[in-house]
Amino acid sequence: MKLIDEFRDPALAQQLVESIRGVATRRWTIMEVCGGQTHGLLRHGIDEELRDVVELLHGPGCPVCVTPTTVIDHAIELALRPGVLLTTFGDMLRVPGKHRSLMQAQAEGANIQMVYSPLDAVKLAQELPSTQVVFFAVGFETTAPATAIAVSQAEALDLPNFSVLTAHVRVEPAMEAIAQAEDCRVNGFLAAGHVCTITGYEQYHKLAQRYRMPIVVTGFEPIDLLVGIYRCLQLLEQGSFDVVNAYTRSVRPAGNLAAQEILQQVFVVADQPWRGLGEVPLGGLILASKFRGFDAVDRFALERTTVAVEDECQSGAVMSGRIRPTQCPHFGSRCTPQSPLGAPMVSTEGACSAYYRYSNLVPLNTSPAS
Ligand code: SF4
């Protein structure tokens, strides 16, 4: 607890706010690409406190939110098939597909079980040999290694009744898609600390130089976020397009090599449709040919998702920083956490849920979340 308290120290937070004000000669626009950071910024009132010197845009940092509705519909379709058990993490259950969520489908008889790890799904496949157990795998490079381990273990066990419906995505290509958009207003990025713990950050140098945007690897606590913003503004004011690691207690330049190795064994990089961004070149991970037998899309003859269809939810505009959640006409009226129209309102990492939950907090509130 001592460690956490140090990163929520109100006096240090105030000093950092003053340093940020001292370094900024104009108002800059920075995008964080991590839903945990978005919630941290809103929960602690950092966005409001710094509003006059920095505009904080919230990027596609919520993997649940960028999953196309067609993939959720595939998951529902599988869960309704006789002899199939669909397993997934709890935060996917309330995310709306085109017509309903997994939880609503469950009430109609769909066979769905929440798991805490992909390995729980492998265990279920061992225990239920006459049931096809499908793990619905969503997430960035942080969760993909666990999926890779599960697939690798299912192969070692020669399990014929285990498969994965994958929607794993890669963060760096999405940052590039945002940076190269004609209407991009981003001056610098706060890179996601947890993703960089796996991937490292050496690959960001090319991106920073090509688009002339500094990138600061940043954590989630209030002091982490303020240091990340401060370092990013420092670089912007110096005219430097460098990459800086402000989350050194977790991130190494080359990342977690063991996690990268299992990812490379099980997955290959592929173009991937992202909700809100369209098809992102090299933006996803699909199973390598050796493991294709575990791909639920092939096993159950589903149509592979190639486009992310937009609907009345304006998550695309929110996640690319074109509008704030509160500018969506449905925010707080037709769309609430109790009755969400889109994933950003229901996911624990979604920007809309952060605005709904924290918009009444006072600026620079460093007390723990309720
Ligand atoms: S407020 Fe609701 S409908 Fe609007 S973008 Fe957010 S999740 Fe989608």
Side-chain angles (χ1 to χ4, degrees):
M1 286 313 291
K2 180 174 179 288
L3 186 68
I4 292 296
D5 287 346
E6 285 172 2
F7 291 95
R8 291 179 176 171
D9 180 346
L12 182 54
Q14 200 54 54
Q15 276 177 29
L16 282 162
V17 166
E18 281 158 28
S19 299
I20 288 168
R21 290 192 189 291
V23 79
T25 60
R26 50 159 281 196
R27 190 171 191 241
W28 296 96
T29 301
I30 295 176
M31 175 178 275
E32 86 278 358
V33 196
C34 165
Q37 291 171 344
T38 306
H39 276 248
L41 291 165
L42 271 288
R43 177 192 303 153
H44 299 294
I46 293 170
D47 60 325
E48 279 297 320
E49 178 71 27
L50 296 175
R51 184 170 288 280
D52 56 330
V53 283
V54 59
E55 179 185 14
L56 291 161
L57 299 181
H58 317 301
C62 163
V64 171
C65 306
V66 303
T67 302
T69 48
T70 39
V71 183
I72 295 165
D73 290 341
H74 279 159
I76 292 170
E77 186 191 331
L78 286 178
L80 286 164
R81 289 195 192 189
V84 173
L85 170 63
L86 186 99
T87 60
T88 193
F89 296 136
D91 56 357
M92 285 309 297
L93 295 180
R94 292 184 61 234
V95 177
K98 192 165 180 203
H99 300 297
R100 59 193 158 170
S101 66
L102 283 166
M103 192 176 271
Q104 288 165 329
Q106 198 172 26
E108 294 165 17
N111 195 11
I112 298 166
Q113 185 164 329
M114 190 188 91
V115 290
Y116 293 101
S117 154
L119 289 174
D120 293 344
V122 173
K123 193 157 171 272
L124 280 167
Q126 286 179 280
E127 291 167 357
L128 304 167
S130 56
T131 300
Q132 283 288 331
V133 177
V134 181
F135 177 64
F136 183 16
V138 172
F140 293 134
E141 292 95 329
T142 34
T143 51
T147 305
I149 289 169
V151 171
S152 177
Q153 190 174 98
E155 198 229 8
L157 293 167
D158 201 14
L159 272 183
N161 62 325
F162 175 80
S163 59
V164 289
L165 179 64
T166 60
H168 281 302
V169 285
R170 302 174 63 236
V171 173
E172 187 201 347
M175 289 166 70
E176 176 148 20
I178 287 168
Q180 68 188 9
E182 274 181 18
D183 58 352
C184 174
R185 297 192 295 118
V186 178
N187 300 126
F189 282 114
L190 302 186
H194 66 316
V195 170
C196 293
T197 301
I198 302 295
T199 63
Y201 56 89
E202 289 165 338
Q203 70 281 12
Y204 285 138
H205 285 282
K206 272 191 201 152
L207 183 69
Q209 291 297 325
R210 186 177 306 140
Y211 297 98
R212 301 173 68 77
M213 292 179 186
I215 299 174
V216 180
V217 180
T218 303
F220 312 91
E221 293 297 333
I223 300 302
D224 291 321
L225 292 162
L226 288 165
V227 169
I229 293 166
Y230 174 69
R231 298 302 306 275
C232 197
L233 291 193
Q234 250 186 342
L235 293 168
L236 285 164
E237 291 287 344
Q238 291 163 0
S240 165
F241 310 116
D242 206 350
V243 179
V244 165
N245 180 12
Y247 195 39
T248 52
R249 69 182 185 281
S250 178
V251 177
R252 304 285 169 269
N256 181 329
L257 298 181
Q260 291 169 30
E261 192 180 333
I262 186 75
L263 280 180
Q264 282 162 15
Q265 283 170 15
V266 174
F267 289 111
V268 289
V269 170
D271 299 346
Q272 177 111 333
W274 284 52
R275 193 176 161 136
L277 295 181
E279 176 146 297
V280 175
L282 309 180
L285 297 168
I286 60 171
L287 290 171
S289 54
K290 180 182 173 191
F291 296 97
R292 269 323 246 282
F294 293 98
D295 190 333
V297 169
D298 290 347
R299 183 171 300 180
F300 297 99
L302 299 172
E303 200 175 322
R304 202 165 285 282
T305 301
T306 53
V307 288
V309 179
E310 297 286 348
D311 50 30
E312 59 186 341
C313 169
Q314 303 202 7
S315 62
V318 169
M319 289 186 292
S320 54
R322 295 198 301 277
I323 64 167
R324 291 189 170 277
T326 45
Q327 291 172 302
C328 170
H330 309 305
F331 181 88
S333 54
R334 290 184 59 216
C335 184
T336 65
Q338 293 71 37
S339 179
L341 277 181
M345 185 56 93
V346 67
S347 168
T348 51
E349 294 189 284
C352 301
S353 77
Y355 272 74
Y356 192 90
R357 192 166 173 197
Y358 301 119
S359 52
N360 290 328
L361 291 183
V362 294
L364 209 60
N365 168 20
T366 52
S367 58
S370 56

mmCIF file of all heavy atoms in Angstrom, residues 275 312-316 318 323 325 328-332 335-336 340-346 352-353, ligand 1:
data_model
loop_
_atom_site.group_PDB
_atom_site.id
_atom_site.type_symbol
_atom_site.label_atom_id
_atom_site.label_comp_id
_atom_site.label_asym_id
_atom_site.label_seq_id
_atom_site.Cartn_x
_atom_site.Cartn_y
_atom_site.Cartn_z
ATOM 1 N N ARG A 275 -13.309 -1.300 -34.495
ATOM 2 C CA ARG A 275 -14.497 -0.455 -34.400
ATOM 3 C C ARG A 275 -14.034 0.996 -34.226
ATOM 4 O O ARG A 275 -13.217 1.298 -33.371
ATOM 5 C CB ARG A 275 -15.296 -0.894 -33.192
ATOM 6 C CG ARG A 275 -16.662 -0.339 -33.154
ATOM 7 C CD ARG A 275 -17.380 -0.927 -31.965
ATOM 8 N NE ARG A 275 -18.490 -0.094 -31.678
ATOM 9 C CZ ARG A 275 -19.689 -0.532 -31.398
ATOM 10 N NH1 ARG A 275 -19.907 -1.812 -31.360
ATOM 11 N NH2 ARG A 275 -20.653 0.308 -31.155
ATOM 12 N N GLU A 312 -25.538 3.415 -34.296
ATOM 13 C CA GLU A 312 -25.849 4.724 -33.716
ATOM 14 C C GLU A 312 -24.906 5.123 -32.589
ATOM 15 O O GLU A 312 -24.785 6.296 -32.245
ATOM 16 C CB GLU A 312 -27.295 4.769 -33.242
ATOM 17 C CG GLU A 312 -27.628 3.716 -32.202
ATOM 18 C CD GLU A 312 -29.096 3.706 -31.863
ATOM 19 O OE1 GLU A 312 -29.790 4.687 -32.138
ATOM 20 O OE2 GLU A 312 -29.551 2.695 -31.299
ATOM 21 N N CYS A 313 -24.214 4.169 -32.006
ATOM 22 C CA CYS A 313 -23.177 4.504 -31.022
ATOM 23 C C CYS A 313 -22.034 5.223 -31.730
ATOM 24 O O CYS A 313 -21.569 4.781 -32.772
ATOM 25 C CB CYS A 313 -22.669 3.225 -30.360
ATOM 26 S SG CYS A 313 -21.184 3.476 -29.377
ATOM 27 N N GLN A 314 -21.585 6.325 -31.153
ATOM 28 C CA GLN A 314 -20.547 7.123 -31.817
ATOM 29 C C GLN A 314 -19.161 6.818 -31.245
ATOM 30 O O GLN A 314 -18.319 7.708 -31.103
ATOM 31 C CB GLN A 314 -20.884 8.599 -31.688
ATOM 32 C CG GLN A 314 -22.253 8.886 -32.272
ATOM 33 C CD GLN A 314 -22.453 10.330 -32.654
ATOM 34 O OE1 GLN A 314 -21.536 11.148 -32.606
ATOM 35 N NE2 GLN A 314 -23.657 10.644 -33.040
ATOM 36 N N SER A 315 -18.951 5.556 -30.919
ATOM 37 C CA SER A 315 -17.685 5.176 -30.293
ATOM 38 C C SER A 315 -16.492 5.480 -31.190
ATOM 39 O O SER A 315 -15.410 5.796 -30.696
ATOM 40 C CB SER A 315 -17.711 3.696 -29.920
ATOM 41 O OG SER A 315 -17.870 2.913 -31.073
ATOM 42 N N GLY A 316 -16.683 5.371 -32.503
ATOM 43 C CA GLY A 316 -15.566 5.648 -33.411
ATOM 44 C C GLY A 316 -15.075 7.074 -33.261
ATOM 45 O O GLY A 316 -13.864 7.331 -33.183
ATOM 46 N N VAL A 318 -15.541 8.977 -30.672
ATOM 47 C CA VAL A 318 -14.983 9.147 -29.323
ATOM 48 C C VAL A 318 -13.561 8.603 -29.271
ATOM 49 O O VAL A 318 -12.625 9.267 -28.802
ATOM 50 C CB VAL A 318 -15.875 8.428 -28.274
ATOM 51 C CG1 VAL A 318 -15.181 8.372 -26.923
ATOM 52 C CG2 VAL A 318 -17.216 9.151 -28.135
ATOM 53 N N ILE A 323 -14.706 13.562 -31.005
ATOM 54 C CA ILE A 323 -15.665 14.165 -30.054
ATOM 55 C C ILE A 323 -15.371 13.642 -28.649
ATOM 56 O O ILE A 323 -14.735 12.589 -28.487
ATOM 57 C CB ILE A 323 -17.145 13.851 -30.402
ATOM 58 C CG1 ILE A 323 -17.439 12.339 -30.293
ATOM 59 C CG2 ILE A 323 -17.526 14.400 -31.753
ATOM 60 C CD1 ILE A 323 -18.922 12.007 -30.324
ATOM 61 N N PRO A 325 -16.992 12.144 -25.058
ATOM 62 C CA PRO A 325 -18.189 11.350 -24.766
ATOM 63 C C PRO A 325 -19.424 12.212 -24.525
ATOM 64 O O PRO A 325 -20.519 11.880 -24.970
ATOM 65 C CB PRO A 325 -17.783 10.573 -23.511
ATOM 66 C CG PRO A 325 -16.309 10.386 -23.659
ATOM 67 C CD PRO A 325 -15.820 11.671 -24.277
ATOM 68 N N CYS A 328 -21.597 13.169 -27.485
ATOM 69 C CA CYS A 328 -22.466 12.178 -28.129
ATOM 70 C C CYS A 328 -23.903 12.500 -27.726
ATOM 71 O O CYS A 328 -24.188 12.663 -26.531
ATOM 72 C CB CYS A 328 -22.093 10.762 -27.678
ATOM 73 S SG CYS A 328 -23.323 9.546 -28.207
ATOM 74 N N PRO A 329 -24.832 12.578 -28.689
ATOM 75 C CA PRO A 329 -26.213 12.962 -28.333
ATOM 76 C C PRO A 329 -26.901 11.972 -27.406
ATOM 77 O O PRO A 329 -27.892 12.309 -26.760
ATOM 78 C CB PRO A 329 -26.919 13.035 -29.698
ATOM 79 C CG PRO A 329 -26.058 12.271 -30.640
ATOM 80 C CD PRO A 329 -24.659 12.366 -30.134
ATOM 81 N N HIS A 330 -26.376 10.758 -27.309
ATOM 82 C CA HIS A 330 -27.038 9.735 -26.473
ATOM 83 C C HIS A 330 -26.470 9.675 -25.061
ATOM 84 O O HIS A 330 -27.019 8.988 -24.208
ATOM 85 C CB HIS A 330 -26.888 8.358 -27.127
ATOM 86 C CG HIS A 330 -27.301 8.341 -28.560
ATOM 87 N ND1 HIS A 330 -28.546 8.756 -28.968
ATOM 88 C CD2 HIS A 330 -26.625 7.984 -29.696
ATOM 89 C CE1 HIS A 330 -28.635 8.653 -30.284
ATOM 90 N NE2 HIS A 330 -27.482 8.197 -30.747
ATOM 91 N N PHE A 331 -25.368 10.397 -24.817
ATOM 92 C CA PHE A 331 -24.690 10.316 -23.514
ATOM 93 C C PHE A 331 -25.635 10.712 -22.375
ATOM 94 O O PHE A 331 -26.185 11.817 -22.375
ATOM 95 C CB PHE A 331 -23.452 11.222 -23.510
ATOM 96 C CG PHE A 331 -22.678 11.182 -22.213
ATOM 97 C CD1 PHE A 331 -21.691 10.244 -22.002
ATOM 98 C CD2 PHE A 331 -22.963 12.075 -21.181
ATOM 99 C CE1 PHE A 331 -20.985 10.200 -20.807
ATOM 100 C CE2 PHE A 331 -22.263 12.035 -19.975
ATOM 101 C CZ PHE A 331 -21.271 11.091 -19.797
ATOM 102 N N GLY A 332 -25.807 9.794 -21.430
ATOM 103 C CA GLY A 332 -26.605 10.111 -20.240
ATOM 104 C C GLY A 332 -28.100 10.132 -20.466
ATOM 105 O O GLY A 332 -28.856 10.299 -19.510
ATOM 106 N N CYS A 335 -28.174 6.463 -23.457
ATOM 107 C CA CYS A 335 -27.028 5.608 -23.157
ATOM 108 C C CYS A 335 -26.510 5.884 -21.746
ATOM 109 O O CYS A 335 -26.010 6.972 -21.461
ATOM 110 C CB CYS A 335 -25.927 5.847 -24.198
ATOM 111 S SG CYS A 335 -24.528 4.747 -23.983
ATOM 112 N N THR A 336 -26.666 4.904 -20.891
ATOM 113 C CA THR A 336 -26.157 4.986 -19.516
ATOM 114 C C THR A 336 -25.511 3.639 -19.184
ATOM 115 O O THR A 336 -25.722 2.661 -19.914
ATOM 116 C CB THR A 336 -27.302 5.230 -18.511
ATOM 117 O OG1 THR A 336 -28.166 4.087 -18.530
ATOM 118 C CG2 THR A 336 -28.092 6.491 -18.836
ATOM 119 N N PRO A 340 -26.618 0.551 -21.767
ATOM 120 C CA PRO A 340 -25.616 1.072 -22.700
ATOM 121 C C PRO A 340 -25.976 0.831 -24.160
ATOM 122 O O PRO A 340 -26.465 -0.238 -24.513
ATOM 123 C CB PRO A 340 -24.362 0.277 -22.320
ATOM 124 C CG PRO A 340 -24.882 -1.007 -21.769
ATOM 125 C CD PRO A 340 -26.193 -0.690 -21.103
ATOM 126 N N LEU A 341 -25.717 1.836 -24.985
ATOM 127 C CA LEU A 341 -25.884 1.648 -26.427
ATOM 128 C C LEU A 341 -24.586 1.140 -27.051
ATOM 129 O O LEU A 341 -24.595 0.584 -28.143
ATOM 130 C CB LEU A 341 -26.235 2.986 -27.101
ATOM 131 C CG LEU A 341 -27.682 3.444 -27.106
ATOM 132 C CD1 LEU A 341 -27.785 4.772 -27.846
ATOM 133 C CD2 LEU A 341 -28.581 2.402 -27.748
ATOM 134 N N GLY A 342 -23.475 1.390 -26.386
ATOM 135 C CA GLY A 342 -22.185 0.992 -26.952
ATOM 136 C C GLY A 342 -21.210 0.555 -25.884
ATOM 137 O O GLY A 342 -21.387 0.840 -24.684
ATOM 138 N N ALA A 343 -20.156 -0.131 -26.340
ATOM 139 C CA ALA A 343 -19.171 -0.684 -25.402
ATOM 140 C C ALA A 343 -18.482 0.374 -24.538
ATOM 141 O O ALA A 343 -18.204 0.120 -23.365
ATOM 142 C CB ALA A 343 -18.138 -1.482 -26.188
ATOM 143 N N PRO A 344 -18.177 1.600 -25.056
ATOM 144 C CA PRO A 344 -17.467 2.562 -24.195
ATOM 145 C C PRO A 344 -18.247 2.969 -22.950
ATOM 146 O O PRO A 344 -17.680 3.488 -22.002
ATOM 147 C CB PRO A 344 -17.251 3.773 -25.120
ATOM 148 C CG PRO A 344 -17.290 3.219 -26.495
ATOM 149 C CD PRO A 344 -18.285 2.092 -26.445
ATOM 150 N N MET A 345 -19.572 2.726 -22.926
ATOM 151 C CA MET A 345 -20.353 3.065 -21.733
ATOM 152 C C MET A 345 -20.385 1.919 -20.735
ATOM 153 O O MET A 345 -20.597 2.128 -19.544
ATOM 154 C CB MET A 345 -21.786 3.451 -22.141
ATOM 155 C CG MET A 345 -22.663 3.936 -21.002
ATOM 156 S SD MET A 345 -21.961 5.355 -20.104
ATOM 157 C CE MET A 345 -22.715 6.746 -20.980
ATOM 158 N N VAL A 346 -20.140 0.710 -21.207
ATOM 159 C CA VAL A 346 -20.279 -0.434 -20.300
ATOM 160 C C VAL A 346 -18.925 -0.973 -19.841
ATOM 161 O O VAL A 346 -18.792 -1.489 -18.735
ATOM 162 C CB VAL A 346 -21.135 -1.548 -20.956
ATOM 163 C CG1 VAL A 346 -20.449 -2.177 -22.135
ATOM 164 C CG2 VAL A 346 -21.466 -2.627 -19.958
ATOM 165 N N CYS A 352 -16.629 6.600 -22.188
ATOM 166 C CA CYS A 352 -17.963 7.110 -21.832
ATOM 167 C C CYS A 352 -18.314 6.743 -20.398
ATOM 168 O O CYS A 352 -18.883 7.557 -19.662
ATOM 169 C CB CYS A 352 -19.006 6.579 -22.805
ATOM 170 S SG CYS A 352 -18.653 7.041 -24.519
ATOM 171 N N SER A 353 -17.947 5.532 -19.976
ATOM 172 C CA SER A 353 -18.244 5.165 -18.585
ATOM 173 C C SER A 353 -17.416 6.012 -17.630
ATOM 174 O O SER A 353 -17.878 6.367 -16.545
ATOM 175 C CB SER A 353 -18.014 3.670 -18.341
ATOM 176 O OG SER A 353 -16.659 3.365 -18.225
HETATM 177 S S1 SF4 B 1 -22.357 7.742 -25.012
HETATM 178 FE FE1 SF4 B 1 -23.047 5.655 -25.535
HETATM 179 S S2 SF4 B 1 -23.789 5.833 -27.665
HETATM 180 FE FE2 SF4 B 1 -22.474 7.613 -27.263
HETATM 181 S S3 SF4 B 1 -20.437 6.998 -27.937
HETATM 182 FE FE3 SF4 B 1 -20.573 6.547 -25.732
HETATM 183 S S4 SF4 B 1 -21.213 4.399 -25.651
HETATM 184 FE FE4 SF4 B 1 -21.646 5.106 -27.740
#
